[in-house]
């Protein structure tokens, strides 16, 4: 299909304006993401209506801990990515350059109907970054809304203004990767810029109704220093507030960083303590079994409200009234979509 978010340059090239890369393409060329191409003087999204596969997941796997807990979510993605993360955990999909991986054809209305028929409360755009198939994701989110299904984006947040507003306007929830907190890390490990991601996070958390959670994959020796974690969590507290949940997740050797060891559990525990010390209320650990690090704790009275074992909710003591969550012990509000 002909994409949105592009313009024609004076020299005849087509410039994509979806993400900060701003790829300028001559006829027949593909963008960095490999799924947006210039043909016949227009920009095309080559993966519209084509998926690399579908799966039913617990919402906690996204991870989203304050968004319809214990519910099932239909997950799907396409191929390609607009980042070049050396540590990519889904590199076989995000780095795919062969469209034969896109074995499933599904229209937005078909996806919405499929999710509803299987009892899913929401649909997740995930596996690869939905920013690069924004038109497909937006249309699917709108189709889901018509049948009472919510839309969730799992994204790195590398998207330009304009497209950013359109994309997150139709999303009910998002987990945004804040991959580190230095421009050096972002540029050398992802090929992107920190500033653009921070702008997206601040916009989504502060100016939309999209429920937002953050994830930071801690990689030994690259983004796990006490100083960087302190700066990251200080920024979160100052710019978007203490109630946005953050997940510190363990790295495992993959893609181009196979020489770096797994993240020790102690690193995740240290990051969690730093974040709590900076005043963040909901701090979680991921990719490890950690009952305390996976629990939702009331910031007012300190009682454990939601107990999780990996992605399974063992108990949930959040009281819900008109969609608003409250602590069952002290009645303090617990932010989220309950």
């Amino acid at each position: 299909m002909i994409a949105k978010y592009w313009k024609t340059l004076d020299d005849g090239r087509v410039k994509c304006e979806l993400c900060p890369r701003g790829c300028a393409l001559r006829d027949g060329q593909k963008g960095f993401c490999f799924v947006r191409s210039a043909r016949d003087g227009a920009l095309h999204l080559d993966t519209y209506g084509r998926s690399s596969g579908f799966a039913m997941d617990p919402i906690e796997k996204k991870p989203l801990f304050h968004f319809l807990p214990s519910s099932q979510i239909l997950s799907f993605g396409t191929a390609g990515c607009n980042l070049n993360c050396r540590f990519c955990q889904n590199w076989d999909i995000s780095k795919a350059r062969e469209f034969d991986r896109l074995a499933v054809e599904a229209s937005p209305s078909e996806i919405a109907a499929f999710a509803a028929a299987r009892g899913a409360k929401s649909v997740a755009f995930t596996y690869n970054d939905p920013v690069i198939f924004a038109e497909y994701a937006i249309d699917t989110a709108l189709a889901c809304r018509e049948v009472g299904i919510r839309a969730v984006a799992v994204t790195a947040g590398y998207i330009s203004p304009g497209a950013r507003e359109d994309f997150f306007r139709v999303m009910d929830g998002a987990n945004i990767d804040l991959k580190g907190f230095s421009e050096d890390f972002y540029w050398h490990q992802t090929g992107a810029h920190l500033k653009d991601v921070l702008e997206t996070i601040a916009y989504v958390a502060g100016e939309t109704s999209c429920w937002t959670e953050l994830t930071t994959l801690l990689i030994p020796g690259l983004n796990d220093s006490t100083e960087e974690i302190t700066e990251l969590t200080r920024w979160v507290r100052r710019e978007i507030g203490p109630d946005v949940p953050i997940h510190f997740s363990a790295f495992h050797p993959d893609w181009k960083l196979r020489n770096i060891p797994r993240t020790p559990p102690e690193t995740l525990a240290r990051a969690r303590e730093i974040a709590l010390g900076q005043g963040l209320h909901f701090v979680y650990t991921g990719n490890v079994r950690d009952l305390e690090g996976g629990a939702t704790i009331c910031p007012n009275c300190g009682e454990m409200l939601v107990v999780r074992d990996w992605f399974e909710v063992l108990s949930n003591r959040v009281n819900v009234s008109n969609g608003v969550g409250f602590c069952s012990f002290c009645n303090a509000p617990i932010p989220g979509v309950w």
Side-chain angles (χ1 to χ4, degrees), residues 18 58 94 302 337-338:
L18 175 67
S94 65
V337 178
W338 305 103

Side-chain angles (χ1 to χ4, degrees), residues 143-307:
C144 287
R145 184 169 292 178
E146 290 182 0
V147 295
I149 303 292
R150 306 200 196 202
V152 168
V154 181
T155 175
Y158 205 53
I159 187 171
S160 297
R164 177 189 296 151
E165 285 80 352
D166 290 348
F167 184 82
F168 286 104
R169 185 182 298 119
V170 300
M171 297 298 158
D172 299 291
N175 188 294
I176 303 176
D177 284 338
L178 180 51
K179 295 177 183 290
F181 208 71
S182 74
E183 174 62 15
D184 181 77
F185 174 86
Y186 255 89
W187 181 245
H188 289 100
Q189 301 300 328
T190 78
H193 298 290
L194 173 62
K195 176 181 71 72
D196 299 297
V197 177
L198 295 182
E199 288 177 359
T200 295
I201 292 171
Y203 170 78
V204 180
E207 299 185 43
T208 78
S209 60
C210 178
W211 175 255
T212 308
E213 302 189 21
L214 305 178
T215 293
T216 299
L217 184 75
L218 294 178
I219 306 173
L222 293 182
N223 67 347
D224 66 338
S225 71
T226 295
E227 293 75 18
E228 185 163 341
I229 295 168
T230 300
E231 288 302 310
L232 185 156
T233 53
R234 185 175 293 158
W235 180 89
V236 171
R237 176 67 177 85
R238 182 180 69 247
E239 299 297 331
I240 59 176
D243 289 332
V244 173
I246 185 167
H247 305 256
F248 290 110
S249 189
F251 163 85
H252 67 262
D254 216 331
W255 189 226
K256 295 181 179 180
L257 290 186
R258 298 178 185 271
N259 60 322
I260 293 180
R262 290 176 178 269
T263 309
E266 295 78 15
T267 297
L268 301 180
R270 173 170 54 88
R272 183 170 180 269
E273 287 303 312
I274 291 170
L276 292 171
Q278 289 296 322
L280 301 190
H281 292 162
F282 306 104
V283 186
Y284 302 105
T285 58
N287 288 349
V288 294
R289 189 178 190 187
D290 179 1
L291 291 180
E292 183 176 356
T296 298
I297 298 171
C298 176
N300 184 58
C301 69
E303 291 288 346
M304 195 173 288
L305 300 179
V306 185
V307 180

